[in-house]
Amino acid sequence: MKNKTKFYEILVRAKTDEVSMILAIDKIMPIIDKYSMNEKKQIDQDLKSILIEYAISVIKKDDFADKLAK
């Protein structure tokens, strides 16, 4: 990879470091909030929780940061 961004470095560290995981989730929280909206434009907390859990599981995969960087 030619250009390792700050976010890339956070994702790499997030696999083993809880603080980095929190930073990564914080960075993608606007997207999670957007996709957690119901028809009334209110955030569905259950769906938000599911999306956060899914994001954590994806970030913890071994090659996720490298796939995202390509």
Coordinates of all heavy atoms in Angstrom, one line a residue:
M1 N 0.8 -1.2 0.0 CA 0.0 0.0 0.0 C 0.9 1.2 0.0 O 1.8 1.4 0.8 CB -0.9 0.0 1.2 CG -1.8 1.1 1.3 SD -2.8 1.0 2.8 CE -3.2 2.6 3.0
K2 N 0.6 2.2 -0.8 CA 1.4 3.4 -1.0 C 1.1 4.4 0.2 O 2.1 4.9 0.8 CB 1.1 4.1 -2.3 CG 1.6 3.3 -3.5 CD 1.3 4.1 -4.7 CE 1.7 3.3 -6.0 NZ 1.4 4.0 -7.2
N3 N -0.1 4.7 0.5 CA -0.5 5.8 1.4 C -1.2 5.2 2.6 O -2.4 4.9 2.5 CB -1.3 6.8 0.6 CG -1.6 8.0 1.5 OD1 -0.9 8.2 2.5 ND2 -2.5 8.8 1.0
K4 N -0.5 5.1 3.7 CA -1.1 4.6 4.9 C -1.7 5.8 5.7 O -0.9 6.5 6.2 CB -0.1 3.8 5.8 CG 0.3 2.5 5.1 CD 1.2 1.7 6.0 CE 1.5 0.4 5.3 NZ 2.4 -0.4 6.1
T5 N -3.0 5.9 5.7 CA -3.7 7.0 6.4 C -3.7 6.8 7.9 O -3.4 5.7 8.4 CB -5.1 7.2 5.8 OG1 -5.9 6.0 6.2 CG2 -5.1 7.4 4.3
K6 N -4.1 7.8 8.6 CA -4.2 7.7 10.0 C -5.3 6.7 10.4 O -5.2 5.9 11.3 CB -4.6 9.1 10.5 CG -4.5 9.3 12.0 CD -4.7 10.8 12.4 CE -4.3 11.0 13.8 NZ -4.5 12.4 14.2
F7 N -6.4 6.7 9.6 CA -7.5 5.8 9.8 C -7.1 4.3 9.6 O -7.4 3.4 10.4 CB -8.7 6.1 8.9 CG -9.9 5.3 9.2 CD1 -10.6 5.3 10.5 CD2 -10.5 4.5 8.2 CE1 -11.7 4.6 10.7 CE2 -11.6 3.7 8.5 CZ -12.2 3.7 9.7
Y8 N -6.2 4.1 8.6 CA -5.7 2.8 8.3 C -4.9 2.3 9.6 O -5.1 1.2 10.0 CB -4.8 2.8 7.1 CG -4.0 1.5 6.9 CD1 -4.6 0.5 6.2 CD2 -2.7 1.4 7.3 CE1 -4.0 -0.7 6.0 CE2 -2.0 0.2 7.1 CZ -2.7 -0.9 6.5 OH -2.0 -2.0 6.3
E9 N -4.1 3.2 10.1 CA -3.3 2.8 11.3 C -4.2 2.5 12.5 O -3.9 1.6 13.2 CB -2.3 3.9 11.6 CG -1.3 4.2 10.6 CD -0.3 3.0 10.3 OE1 -0.1 2.2 11.2 OE2 0.1 2.9 9.1
I10 N -5.3 3.3 12.6 CA -6.2 3.0 13.7 C -6.8 1.6 13.5 O -7.0 0.8 14.5 CB -7.3 4.1 13.8 CG1 -6.7 5.4 14.3 CG2 -8.4 3.7 14.7 CD1 -7.6 6.6 14.2
L11 N -7.2 1.3 12.3 CA -7.8 0.0 12.0 C -6.9 -1.2 12.3 O -7.3 -2.2 12.8 CB -8.3 -0.1 10.6 CG -9.6 0.7 10.2 CD1 -9.8 0.7 8.7 CD2 -10.8 0.3 11.0
V12 N -5.6 -1.0 11.9 CA -4.6 -2.1 12.2 C -4.5 -2.3 13.7 O -4.5 -3.4 14.1 CB -3.3 -1.7 11.5 CG1 -2.2 -2.6 11.9 CG2 -3.4 -1.7 10.0
R13 N -4.4 -1.2 14.4 CA -4.2 -1.3 15.9 C -5.5 -1.8 16.6 O -5.4 -2.4 17.6 CB -3.8 0.0 16.5 CG -2.4 0.4 16.2 CD -1.9 1.6 17.0 NE -2.8 2.7 17.0 CZ -2.8 3.7 16.3 NH1 -1.9 3.8 15.3 NH2 -3.7 4.7 16.4
A14 N -6.7 -1.6 16.0 CA -7.9 -1.9 16.6 C -8.1 -3.4 16.8 O -9.0 -3.8 17.6 CB -9.1 -1.3 15.8
K15 N -7.4 -4.2 16.0 CA -7.6 -5.6 16.2 C -7.1 -6.1 17.5 O -7.7 -7.1 18.1 CB -6.7 -6.4 15.1 CG -7.3 -6.3 13.7 CD -6.5 -7.1 12.8 CE -5.2 -6.4 12.4 NZ -4.5 -7.2 11.3
T16 N -6.2 -5.4 18.2 CA -5.7 -5.9 19.5 C -5.8 -4.8 20.6 O -5.6 -5.1 21.7 CB -4.2 -6.3 19.4 OG1 -3.5 -5.1 18.9 CG2 -4.1 -7.5 18.4
D17 N -6.1 -3.6 20.2 CA -6.1 -2.5 21.2 C -7.6 -1.9 21.3 O -8.1 -1.4 20.3 CB -5.2 -1.4 20.7 CG -5.1 -0.2 21.6 OD1 -5.2 -0.4 22.9 OD2 -5.0 1.0 21.1
E18 N -8.1 -1.9 22.5 CA -9.5 -1.5 22.7 C -9.6 0.0 22.5 O -10.7 0.4 22.0 CB -9.9 -1.8 24.2 CG -10.2 -3.3 24.4 CD -10.7 -3.6 25.8 OE1 -11.4 -2.8 26.3 OE2 -10.4 -4.7 26.3
V19 N -8.7 0.8 22.8 CA -8.7 2.2 22.6 C -8.8 2.5 21.1 O -9.6 3.4 20.7 CB -7.5 3.0 23.3 CG1 -7.6 4.4 23.0 CG2 -7.6 2.8 24.8
S20 N -8.0 1.9 20.4 CA -8.1 2.0 18.9 C -9.4 1.6 18.3 O -9.9 2.2 17.4 CB -6.9 1.3 18.2 OG -5.7 1.8 18.6
M21 N -10.0 0.5 18.9 CA -11.3 0.1 18.5 C -12.3 1.1 18.7 O -13.2 1.4 17.9 CB -11.7 -1.2 19.2 CG -13.0 -1.8 18.8 SD -13.2 -2.2 17.0 CE -12.3 -3.7 17.0
I22 N -12.3 1.8 19.9 CA -13.2 2.8 20.2 C -13.0 4.0 19.2 O -14.0 4.6 18.8 CB -13.1 3.3 21.7 CG1 -13.5 2.1 22.6 CG2 -13.8 4.5 22.0 CD1 -13.2 2.3 24.1
L23 N -11.8 4.3 18.9 CA -11.5 5.4 18.0 C -12.1 5.1 16.6 O -12.7 5.9 15.9 CB -10.0 5.7 17.9 CG -9.4 6.4 19.1 CD1 -7.9 6.4 18.9 CD2 -10.0 7.8 19.2
A24 N -11.9 3.8 16.2 CA -12.4 3.4 14.9 C -13.9 3.5 14.8 O -14.5 4.0 13.8 CB -11.9 2.0 14.5
I25 N -14.6 2.9 15.8 CA -16.0 3.0 15.9 C -16.5 4.4 15.9 O -17.5 4.8 15.3 CB -16.6 2.2 17.1 CG1 -16.2 0.7 16.9 CG2 -18.1 2.4 17.3 CD1 -16.9 0.0 15.8
D26 N -15.8 5.3 16.7 CA -16.2 6.7 16.8 C -16.1 7.3 15.4 O -17.0 8.2 15.0 CB -15.3 7.4 17.8 CG -15.7 8.8 18.0 OD1 -16.9 9.0 18.3 OD2 -14.9 9.7 17.9
K27 N -15.1 7.0 14.6 CA -15.0 7.5 13.3 C -16.1 7.1 12.3 O -16.5 7.9 11.4 CB -13.6 7.1 12.6 CG -12.4 7.6 13.4 CD -12.2 9.1 13.1 CE -10.9 9.5 13.7 NZ -10.7 10.9 13.7
I28 N -16.6 5.9 12.5 CA -17.7 5.4 11.6 C -19.1 5.6 12.2 O -20.1 5.2 11.5 CB -17.5 4.0 11.1 CG1 -17.5 3.0 12.3 CG2 -16.2 3.8 10.4 CD1 -17.5 1.5 11.9
M29 N -19.2 6.2 13.4 CA -20.5 6.3 14.0 C -21.5 7.1 13.2 O -22.7 6.8 13.2 CB -20.3 6.9 15.4 CG -21.6 6.9 16.2 SD -22.2 5.2 16.5 CE -21.0 4.5 17.6
P30 N -21.1 8.2 12.5 CA -22.1 8.9 11.6 C -22.7 8.0 10.6 O -23.9 8.1 10.3 CB -21.2 10.0 10.9 CG -20.1 10.2 11.9 CD -19.8 8.9 12.5
I31 N -22.0 7.0 10.1 CA -22.5 6.1 9.1 C -23.5 5.1 9.8 O -24.6 4.8 9.3 CB -21.4 5.3 8.4 CG1 -20.6 6.3 7.6 CG2 -22.0 4.2 7.5 CD1 -19.3 5.7 7.0
I32 N -23.1 4.6 11.0 CA -23.9 3.7 11.7 C -25.2 4.4 12.1 O -26.3 3.9 12.0 CB -23.2 3.2 13.0 CG1 -22.1 2.3 12.6 CG2 -24.2 2.5 14.0 CD1 -21.1 1.9 13.7
D33 N -25.1 5.7 12.6 CA -26.3 6.5 12.9 C -27.3 6.6 11.7 O -28.5 6.5 11.8 CB -26.0 7.8 13.5 CG -25.4 7.8 14.9 OD1 -25.7 6.7 15.6 OD2 -24.8 8.7 15.3
K34 N -26.7 6.9 10.5 CA -27.5 7.1 9.3 C -28.3 5.8 9.0 O -29.4 5.9 8.6 CB -26.5 7.4 8.2 CG -27.2 7.6 6.8 CD -26.3 7.9 5.7 CE -27.0 7.9 4.4 NZ -26.0 8.1 3.3
Y35 N -27.6 4.7 9.1 CA -28.3 3.4 8.7 C -29.1 2.8 9.9 O -29.7 1.8 9.7 CB -27.3 2.4 8.2 CG -26.9 2.8 6.8 CD1 -25.6 3.4 6.6 CD2 -27.7 2.7 5.7 CE1 -25.2 3.8 5.3 CE2 -27.3 3.1 4.4 CZ -26.1 3.6 4.3 OH -25.7 4.0 3.0
S36 N -29.2 3.5 11.0 CA -30.0 3.1 12.2 C -31.3 3.8 12.2 O -32.1 3.6 13.1 CB -29.2 3.3 13.5 OG -28.1 2.6 13.5
M37 N -31.5 4.7 11.3 CA -32.8 5.5 11.3 C -34.0 4.7 10.9 O -33.9 3.9 9.9 CB -32.7 6.7 10.3 CG -31.6 7.7 10.7 SD -32.3 8.8 11.9 CE -30.9 10.0 12.0
N38 N -35.1 4.9 11.5 CA -36.3 4.3 11.1 C -37.1 5.2 10.2 O -36.6 6.3 9.9 CB -37.1 3.8 12.3 CG -37.5 4.9 13.3 OD1 -37.5 6.1 12.9 ND2 -37.9 4.5 14.5
E39 N -38.4 4.8 9.9 CA -39.2 5.7 9.1 C -39.5 7.0 9.6 O -39.7 8.0 8.9 CB -40.6 5.0 8.8 CG -40.5 3.6 8.2 CD -40.3 2.5 9.3 OE1 -40.9 2.7 10.4 OE2 -39.6 1.5 9.1
K40 N -39.5 7.2 10.9 CA -39.8 8.4 11.6 C -38.5 9.3 11.8 O -38.6 10.3 12.5 CB -40.4 8.2 12.9 CG -41.8 7.5 12.9 CD -42.3 7.2 14.2 CE -43.6 6.4 14.1 NZ -44.1 6.0 15.5
K41 N -37.4 8.9 11.2 CA -36.1 9.6 11.3 C -35.6 9.6 12.7 O -35.0 10.6 13.1 CB -36.2 11.0 10.7 CG -36.6 11.1 9.2 CD -35.6 10.5 8.4 CE -36.0 10.6 6.9 NZ -35.2 9.8 6.1
Q42 N -35.9 8.6 13.4 CA -35.4 8.4 14.8 C -34.4 7.2 14.8 O -34.6 6.2 14.0 CB -36.5 8.1 15.8 CG -37.5 9.3 15.9 CD -38.7 8.9 16.8 OE1 -39.0 7.7 16.9 NE2 -39.3 9.9 17.3
I43 N -33.4 7.3 15.6 CA -32.4 6.2 15.7 C -33.0 5.0 16.4 O -33.5 5.1 17.5 CB -31.1 6.6 16.3 CG1 -30.5 7.7 15.4 CG2 -30.2 5.5 16.6 CD1 -29.2 8.2 16.0
D44 N -33.0 3.8 15.8 CA -33.4 2.6 16.4 C -32.2 2.0 17.1 O -31.2 1.6 16.5 CB -33.8 1.6 15.3 CG -34.3 0.3 15.8 OD1 -33.9 -0.1 16.9 OD2 -35.1 -0.4 15.0
Q45 N -32.3 2.1 18.4 CA -31.1 1.7 19.3 C -30.8 0.2 19.1 O -29.6 -0.1 19.2 CB -31.4 2.0 20.8 CG -31.5 3.5 21.0 CD -30.3 4.3 20.7 OE1 -29.2 3.8 20.9 NE2 -30.4 5.5 20.3
D46 N -31.7 -0.6 18.9 CA -31.4 -2.1 18.7 C -30.6 -2.3 17.5 O -29.6 -3.0 17.4 CB -32.7 -2.9 18.7 CG -33.4 -2.9 20.0 OD1 -32.8 -2.8 21.1 OD2 -34.7 -3.1 20.0
L47 N -31.1 -1.6 16.4 CA -30.4 -1.8 15.1 C -29.0 -1.1 15.2 O -28.0 -1.7 14.7 CB -31.2 -1.1 14.0 CG -30.5 -1.1 12.6 CD1 -30.2 -2.5 12.2 CD2 -31.4 -0.4 11.6
K48 N -28.9 0.0 15.9 CA -27.6 0.6 16.1 C -26.6 -0.3 16.8 O -25.4 -0.4 16.4 CB -27.7 1.9 16.9 CG -26.5 2.7 17.1 CD -26.8 4.0 17.8 CE -25.5 4.8 18.0 NZ -25.8 6.2 18.6
S49 N -27.1 -1.0 17.8 CA -26.3 -1.9 18.6 C -25.8 -3.1 17.7 O -24.6 -3.5 17.8 CB -27.1 -2.5 19.8 OG -26.4 -3.4 20.5
I50 N -26.7 -3.6 16.9 CA -26.3 -4.7 16.0 C -25.3 -4.2 15.0 O -24.3 -4.9 14.7 CB -27.6 -5.2 15.2 CG1 -28.5 -5.9 16.2 CG2 -27.2 -6.1 14.1 CD1 -29.9 -6.2 15.7
L51 N -25.4 -3.0 14.4 CA -24.5 -2.5 13.5 C -23.1 -2.3 14.1 O -22.1 -2.5 13.5 CB -25.0 -1.2 12.9 CG -26.2 -1.3 11.9 CD1 -26.7 0.0 11.5 CD2 -25.8 -2.2 10.7
I52 N -23.1 -1.8 15.4 CA -21.8 -1.6 16.1 C -21.1 -3.0 16.3 O -19.9 -3.1 16.1 CB -22.0 -0.9 17.4 CG1 -22.4 0.6 17.1 CG2 -20.8 -0.9 18.3 CD1 -22.9 1.3 18.4
E53 N -21.9 -4.0 16.7 CA -21.3 -5.3 16.9 C -20.8 -5.9 15.6 O -19.7 -6.5 15.6 CB -22.4 -6.3 17.5 CG -22.8 -6.0 18.9 CD -23.9 -7.0 19.4 OE1 -24.0 -8.1 18.8 OE2 -24.7 -6.6 20.2
Y54 N -21.5 -5.7 14.5 CA -21.0 -6.1 13.2 C -19.7 -5.4 12.8 O -18.8 -6.0 12.3 CB -22.1 -6.0 12.2 CG -21.7 -6.5 10.8 CD1 -21.6 -7.8 10.6 CD2 -21.4 -5.6 9.8 CE1 -21.2 -8.3 9.4 CE2 -21.0 -6.1 8.6 CZ -20.9 -7.5 8.4 OH -20.5 -7.9 7.1
A55 N -19.7 -4.1 13.0 CA -18.5 -3.3 12.7 C -17.3 -3.8 13.5 O -16.2 -4.0 12.9 CB -18.7 -1.9 13.0
I56 N -17.5 -4.1 14.7 CA -16.4 -4.7 15.5 C -15.9 -6.0 15.0 O -14.7 -6.2 14.9 CB -16.8 -4.8 17.0 CG1 -17.0 -3.4 17.6 CG2 -15.8 -5.6 17.8 CD1 -17.6 -3.3 19.0
S57 N -16.8 -6.9 14.7 CA -16.4 -8.2 14.1 C -15.7 -8.1 12.8 O -14.7 -8.8 12.6 CB -17.6 -9.1 14.0 OG -18.5 -8.7 13.0
V58 N -16.1 -7.1 12.0 CA -15.4 -6.9 10.7 C -14.0 -6.3 10.9 O -13.1 -6.8 10.3 CB -16.3 -6.1 9.7 CG1 -15.5 -5.6 8.5 CG2 -17.5 -6.8 9.3
I59 N -13.9 -5.3 11.8 CA -12.6 -4.7 12.0 C -11.6 -5.7 12.6 O -10.4 -5.6 12.3 CB -12.8 -3.5 13.0 CG1 -13.6 -2.4 12.2 CG2 -11.5 -3.0 13.5 CD1 -14.0 -1.2 13.1
K60 N -12.1 -6.6 13.4 CA -11.2 -7.6 14.0 C -10.7 -8.7 13.0 O -9.8 -9.4 13.4 CB -11.9 -8.3 15.2 CG -11.9 -7.3 16.4 CD -12.2 -8.1 17.6 CE -12.2 -7.1 18.8 NZ -11.1 -7.3 19.7
K61 N -11.3 -8.7 11.8 CA -10.8 -9.7 10.8 C -9.3 -9.3 10.5 O -9.0 -8.2 10.4 CB -11.6 -9.7 9.6 CG -13.0 -10.4 9.9 CD -13.8 -10.5 8.6 CE -15.1 -11.1 8.9 NZ -15.9 -11.2 7.7
D62 N -8.5 -10.3 10.2 CA -7.1 -10.1 10.0 C -6.7 -9.2 8.8 O -5.8 -8.4 9.0 CB -6.4 -11.5 9.8 CG -6.3 -12.3 11.0 OD1 -6.2 -11.7 12.1 OD2 -6.2 -13.5 11.0
D63 N -7.4 -9.3 7.7 CA -7.0 -8.5 6.6 C -8.0 -7.4 6.2 O -7.9 -6.8 5.1 CB -6.8 -9.4 5.4 CG -8.1 -10.2 5.1 OD1 -9.0 -10.2 5.9 OD2 -8.1 -10.9 4.0
F64 N -8.8 -7.0 7.1 CA -9.8 -6.0 6.8 C -9.2 -4.6 6.4 O -9.5 -4.0 5.4 CB -10.8 -5.7 8.0 CG -11.7 -4.6 7.8 CD1 -12.7 -4.7 6.8 CD2 -11.6 -3.4 8.5 CE1 -13.6 -3.6 6.6 CE2 -12.5 -2.4 8.3 CZ -13.5 -2.5 7.3
A65 N -8.2 -4.2 7.2 CA -7.6 -2.8 7.0 C -6.9 -2.9 5.6 O -7.0 -1.9 4.8 CB -6.6 -2.5 8.0
D66 N -6.3 -3.9 5.2 CA -5.6 -4.0 3.9 C -6.6 -4.1 2.8 O -6.4 -3.4 1.8 CB -4.7 -5.3 3.9 CG -3.5 -5.1 4.8 OD1 -3.0 -4.0 5.0 OD2 -3.1 -6.1 5.4
K67 N -7.7 -4.8 3.0 CA -8.7 -4.8 1.9 C -9.4 -3.5 1.7 O -9.6 -3.0 0.6 CB -9.8 -5.8 2.3 CG -9.5 -7.3 2.1 CD -10.6 -8.1 2.4 CE -10.3 -9.6 2.2 NZ -11.4 -10.5 2.5
L68 N -9.6 -2.8 2.8 CA -10.2 -1.4 2.7 C -9.2 -0.4 2.1 O -9.7 0.5 1.4 CB -10.5 -0.9 4.1 CG -11.3 0.4 4.2 CD1 -12.7 0.2 3.6 CD2 -11.5 0.8 5.7
A69 N -7.9 -0.6 2.3 CA -7.0 0.3 1.7 C -6.8 0.1 0.2 O -6.3 1.1 -0.5 CB -5.6 0.1 2.4
K70 N -7.2 -1.0 -0.3 CA -7.0 -1.2 -1.8 C -8.0 -0.6 -2.6 O -8.9 -0.1 -2.4 CB -6.9 -2.7 -2.1 CG -5.7 -3.4 -1.5 CD -5.7 -4.8 -1.9 CE -4.4 -5.4 -1.3 NZ -4.3 -6.8 -1.5

